[in-house]
Amino acid sequence: MKLKIIVLLFALLNWSQSWSQNIILQSPNKKIITGLHVADLNTKGECYLQVSYKVNQIIEIIPKINLGILRSDQDFSKELRFLKATKPKLINDRYELPFGKKSVRENSANEITVFFENPSKAKLNLIIRTYNDGITFRYEFPEKKGSFIINDELTAYQIPKENKRWLEKWNPANEGLYASSSDDKILQQEWCYPALFNSSDKSCWFLLHEADLNRTYCGTKLSNTTDINTYKLTFPDQQDARGTGESKPKISLPWKSPWRVITIGSLGAIVESTLIDDVSTPTAFKTTDWVKPGKVSWNYWSSNHGTKDYKIVCKFTDLALEMNWPYTLLDWEWDAMANGGNLEDALKYIHSKGIKPLMWYNSGGDHTWVPSTPKDRMLTHKNRVEEFTKLKKLGVAGVKVDFFESEKQDMINYYLDILEDAAQFEIMVYFHGCIVPRGWSRTYPNLMTYEAVRGAEWYNNGPDFSTTAPEHNTILPFTRNVVGAMDYTPVTFTSSQFPHHTSYGHELALSVLFESPFQHFADRPEGYYQLPDEAKNFLKEVPTTWDATKLIDGYPGKDVIMARRKGGSWYIGGISASEREELTKEIKLDFLDEGIDYRAVVIADGKHDKAFSFQVLEVNKDKTIEVKLLRRGGFVISLIPINK
């Protein structure tokens, strides 16, 4: 280990003088080190990446990342010849988004491009960036002509078995549970993104994902079926989407792959990172003034066929009005609405209350077995233009499109077609039964949120979620919600088909912990009307977009406390997964601005899981707040500056 460290540092010091056997690229803050190993830079040989992280000393966190691509015409893997590498150049990302965990994004990286050729003299470039919070790399075919099939991508992450990991078994809807494992408990199967790992010495965390996926490729997943300690990128299964579409992507030169992304650092650095967006293509939208995030009332969770019923639609419109939420969603079956009115009557009622409607669509086509209507209206460009023209006239602000069931290249094109056509009509979009975020919201800021999570809807699918939700909820802020908006449809107090085991305080905290620009509050109206004024007011006021995010405390599967800022105000949410112990947490407020006093409203668990406790305090950055959590409990705190 010490010898490896010396070699790495020697190569860094001598970068400008000569190439070492390891090409080294450090992050601007010098904490992350990427090494590209080539067997012999003057001859043919295998190349791979190594990743190290500097805390008090340099530790190797990923000993080997296999590289290579098998194209339909030839092999770009084992017999690559190194040609040259560029000098490092500094990448500075600074941009703004109208939503997300941060409004202003800033990140820096050092980048090199390494040039190879195979025995046929065909060219392959490897572009590597080492950011302050991770590394990214992508392949490039620079030649100007040719169309090919990618038969396989050989990218594979070798992870020591001692590393603890949190992984979700692969499923096309990305709606499974995360499970932790290490050592002899590791399973061999296919896995969803993102995948979280903790180094064996506990000092470093890293999250595997991909970003800037576009029309030129398919989505990938991870598989350790061949080697238990190596997670290889794999293409979609051919049987996905009822066998429609091709699992292997077709490319035309010149071509670049999606970025392969490893977010690296402390657990707080993982949670706060925007690396997936940082490396994605900036938007070409001329304006995003029409993109309006906000809270939504949603009738499906409590009334499966709710949108068929005009009176239920009106009740949820009234709920949005009472709670100062700008939107209500008309979910499936709005085309069969009855019991006092039809769609046009409902839209008229919604608009009369100053609320904006959102509407659900089945993605349609042969790729989905789901017959729910309306179906096929998003399927072709002609269909979409006709439908979006109608929706614009009807004053509909956004559409929810469901049941994609594949990450093949044709489905990636379908997602992006919907986003591009909707943008022409200034209509916002969100996806359900769908892909995990890949950075598209930076490119298409009308993409408000994604499902791709086992959310509150699963209380209706069986009894298992009642017992698994407390732990699941404490894992999501460190995994799925790190990489993009997550439509969990949270904050439900009453029971649907199966009951909660979480406390009311736990449920309320999800409004802060789970980030989504469209935040669908899923409970029935009486679930919110029965709340004490303090809790009700919190749900009226809590934002759905943030200027800053900070992890205060937590560990996946145990508990999490997170603070988010909007303007000068902070909101804190915390939950516990503990089945046995009540917790007492002391929350340091050292992240607050110097010299400002804040009015803190603390809403925490009460005497039992359906009760709250309340306190109002005057605090500043030198203070701490003590909060008690019941088993599976939670709390929220609002911190509003006091004008003196």
Side-chain angles (χ1 to χ4, degrees), residues 257-273:
S257 74
W259 287 105
R260 307 301 167 215
V261 181
I262 312 169
T263 308
I264 302 168
S266 66
L267 198 51
I270 300 293
V271 169
E272 297 159 25
S273 173

Side-chain angles (χ1 to χ4, degrees), residues 520-570:
H520 289 77
F521 292 128
D523 207 347
R524 48 183 56 82
E526 52 268 32
Y528 299 111
Y529 294 152
Q530 71 180 1
L531 294 174
D533 287 344
E534 294 88 348
K536 195 184 302 181
N537 289 337
F538 186 87
L539 288 176
K540 290 179 180 180
E541 297 167 3
V542 65
T544 67
T545 64
W546 307 99
D547 296 321
T549 292
K550 177 179 176 58
L551 178 68
I552 295 176
D553 191 17
Y555 187 88
K558 293 184 177 179
D559 53 53
V560 56
I561 302 173
M562 192 182 297
R564 299 190 192 267
R565 179 177 62 82
K566 183 69 172 181
S569 300
W570 285 88

Side-chain angles (χ1 to χ4, degrees), residues 189-222:
Q189 57 191 27
E190 293 182 335
W191 305 97
C192 297
Y193 286 122
L196 178 67
F197 298 82
N198 188 201
S199 61
S200 57
D201 69 350
K202 314 300 182 189
S203 66
C204 179
W205 296 79
F206 57 98
L207 189 79
L208 303 182
H209 196 38
E210 64 182 5
D212 207 28
L213 171 62
N214 60 32
R215 298 178 183 276
T216 68
Y217 216 57
C218 60
T220 68
K221 54 191 171 183
L222 298 169

Side-chain angles (χ1 to χ4, degrees), residues 115-349:
F115 300 83
F116 296 96
E117 67 178 20
N118 70 4
S120 301
K121 306 294 184 182
K123 303 297 189 289
L124 173 70
N125 301 338
L126 182 67
I127 304 168
I128 307 169
R129 291 182 181 178
T130 306
Y131 277 88
N132 287 332
D133 57 351
I135 78 159
T136 68
F137 61 95
R138 73 192 323 173
Y139 303 99
E140 178 182 41
F141 289 130
E143 293 167 322
K144 304 301 182 184
K145 287 184 180 180
S147 295
F148 307 98
I149 303 295
I150 301 296
N151 286 328
D152 199 6
E153 180 177 333
L154 303 181
T155 305
Y157 304 92
Q158 187 181 101
I159 311 293
K161 67 178 182 179
E162 297 81 11
N163 287 19
K164 194 164 184 179
R165 61 210 67 200
W166 286 260
L167 299 167
E168 176 188 340
K169 183 179 179 181
W170 166 253
N171 63 97
N174 296 281
E175 292 183 34
L177 294 169
Y178 274 83
S180 63
S181 63
S182 63
D183 299 312
D184 60 347
K185 302 290 178 64
I186 298 170
L187 297 176
Q188 289 185 268
Q189 57 191 27
E190 293 182 335
W191 305 97
C192 297
Y193 286 122
L196 178 67
F197 298 82
N198 188 201
S199 61
S200 57
D201 69 350
K202 314 300 182 189
S203 66
C204 179
W205 296 79
F206 57 98
L207 189 79
L208 303 182
H209 196 38
E210 64 182 5
D212 207 28
L213 171 62
N214 60 32
R215 298 178 183 276
T216 68
Y217 216 57
C218 60
T220 68
K221 54 191 171 183
L222 298 169
S223 173
N224 66 337
T225 56
T226 300
D227 179 351
I228 194 169
N229 296 316
T230 300
Y231 293 85
K232 181 188 175 300
L233 270 63
T234 60
F235 293 153
D237 299 335
Q238 186 55 49
Q239 65 264 29
D240 291 349
R242 301 179 69 193
T244 61
E246 296 299 324
S247 61
K248 295 178 180 179
K250 183 177 182 179
I251 68 166
S252 295
L253 305 189
W255 171 85
K256 292 179 182 178
S257 74
W259 287 105
R260 307 301 167 215
V261 181
I262 312 169
T263 308
I264 302 168
S266 66
L267 198 51
I270 300 293
V271 169
E272 297 159 25
S273 173
T274 58
L275 187 54
I276 299 302
D277 291 333
D278 297 343
V279 299
S280 295
T281 302
T283 187
F285 287 13
K286 293 180 180 179
T287 177
T288 58
D289 293 346
W290 51 277
V291 175
K292 304 287 187 183
K295 288 165 276 192
V296 189
S297 66
W298 185 51
N299 65 44
Y300 174 84
W301 185 81
S302 58
S303 305
N304 184 265
H305 298 280
T307 308
K308 265 180 114 171
D309 191 315
Y310 171 77
K311 291 180 180 177
I312 290 177
V313 171
C314 291
K315 286 180 180 179
F316 276 82
T317 302
D318 295 340
L319 170 65
L321 179 64
E322 169 66 24
M323 298 297 291
N324 296 332
W325 301 341
Y327 300 103
T328 191
L329 170 65
L330 305 183
D331 214 288
W332 70 313
E333 300 178 320
W334 51 257
D335 54 338
M337 196 182 304
N339 194 25
N342 58 19
L343 174 65
E344 287 72 21
D345 299 318
L347 293 174
K348 183 177 180 180
Y349 184 84

